[in-house]
Amino acid sequence: MDVVKEAVLISLLGVVAGLMSVALRGVPRAEAPPESASCAPPSSTQGFVRWVTVEDAQGLLNDPAIRFADARSPSEYEAGHILGALNVPMDKDMVSEALLERLRSARTVITYCDTQSGCARSVRLTHLLQAAGIGDVRVLKGGMPEWNRQGRPAEAGPCRECP
């Protein structure tokens, strides 16, 4: 009987040691949270969101297989947006079929907004695009404010490619 008690005690000590190890190290994440304090990572109820830095996004700007999707209102978009971005406003939580067709042709879609409410509009757009079957959708860390702060290419005016 002493052998059984000793086995149970060793097993319990192993479980406790494992739990302490996880508590001290933290649970590993699939992806690190964004560095910008203005764009918090999504909550666990929102699903998986991939983030992209402004530096990495600008490196993709001239790639024709990459599309930028601005989730802000048309007036915000017209005041200034990433060069060549499509305006896909999230005021109605839906994306028109015409815009979806333009975005489906992209290898990667990078969404962005003004970063208020933890990038809520660009995260919402990301989930809608993923639900529509677009596989590689990412959210720009820091959104348009960070893009502008770093002096990245932008333009003003209406969307030339939007239906």
Side-chain angles (χ1 to χ4, degrees):
M1 197 63 166
D2 288 333
V3 174
V4 173
K5 287 181 183 177
E6 189 173 320
V8 169
L9 181 61
I10 289 173
S11 296
L12 286 174
L13 287 174
V15 169
V16 170
L19 291 173
M20 288 179 60
S21 174
V22 168
L24 292 174
R25 281 191 327 230
V27 177
R29 295 180 179 267
E31 184 162 319
E35 295 164 5
S36 171
S38 61
C39 271
S43 72
S44 60
T45 61
Q46 289 177 311
F48 184 73
V49 174
R50 293 181 63 191
W51 298 86
V52 62
T53 65
V54 167
E55 295 79 14
D56 290 341
Q58 184 177 352
L60 300 171
L61 191 59
N62 295 321
D63 184 337
I66 308 299
R67 293 306 306 245
F68 286 80
D70 188 321
R72 301 174 303 154
S73 70
S75 62
E76 291 171 303
Y77 175 91
E78 289 178 11
H81 53 271
I82 293 175
L83 203 59
L86 293 174
N87 186 212
V88 189
M90 283 289 90
D91 55 346
K92 295 180 182 154
D93 279 342
M94 60 177 283
V95 180
S96 73
E97 191 57 40
L99 279 170
L100 277 175
E101 283 308 311
R102 293 190 190 277
L103 294 170
R104 279 190 183 113
S105 65
R107 182 180 71 238
T108 300
V109 175
I110 299 172
T111 67
Y112 68 92
C113 63
D114 57 11
T115 71
Q116 292 178 358
S117 302
C119 297
R121 290 188 283 184
S122 50
V123 169
R124 202 164 48 241
L125 176 56
T126 294
H127 292 300
L128 289 172
L129 296 178
Q130 289 170 335
I134 298 174
D136 188 6
V137 186
R138 304 172 191 194
V139 176
L140 183 65
K141 291 180 186 177
M144 195 65 195
E146 184 63 19
W147 186 269
N148 286 333
R149 191 187 71 68
Q150 292 189 26
R152 305 299 176 161
E155 62 185 349
C159 183
R160 293 184 303 267
E161 293 185 55
C162 296

